[in-house]
Amino acid sequence: MKPHRGVLILVLGILGLIVCCLCAPAAWYMGSQDLAEIDAGRMDPEGRQMTQIGMILGMVGVGLWVLGIIVQVALVLLAGGLAAAGAN
């Protein structure tokens, strides 16, 4: 049976929210892979809760990342529209 990576996934999830948004998708991906391994009985189930929490934090981090991109694009379009309206 393989050892769990719950601590690593949890740390990646936290880092994805606080420091580096690139860690969030890694936490989400690794968490889903490890949960599948735990469910199949090939990985130590002791780290299931940490893995789930890290994966959820990764999902939230990805969601916030996408939301931030949408807001930035909207602000750029708004600023461009205001600049075009002011030029007339």
Side-chain angles (χ1 to χ4, degrees):
M1 188 174 289
K2 294 191 282 188
H4 68 83
R5 299 182 296 181
V7 174
L8 173 63
I9 295 168
L10 182 60
V11 168
L12 285 173
I14 292 169
L15 288 176
L17 282 177
I18 297 173
V19 179
C20 177
C21 58
L22 296 177
C23 293
W28 187 357
Y29 176 76
M30 290 174 64
S32 65
Q33 296 296 316
D34 281 13
L35 287 175
E37 291 286 315
I38 290 170
D39 290 340
R42 293 186 295 261
M43 188 172 279
D44 182 12
E46 188 175 314
R48 182 177 191 82
Q49 187 175 12
M50 283 188 289
T51 302
Q52 284 178 327
I53 293 169
M55 187 179 80
I56 291 169
L57 289 174
M59 290 176 177
V60 171
V62 169
L64 290 174
W65 188 20
V66 169
L67 182 65
I69 291 171
I70 291 170
V71 168
Q72 287 178 357
V73 168
L75 289 174
V76 167
L77 292 176
L78 180 65
L82 291 175
N88 292 330

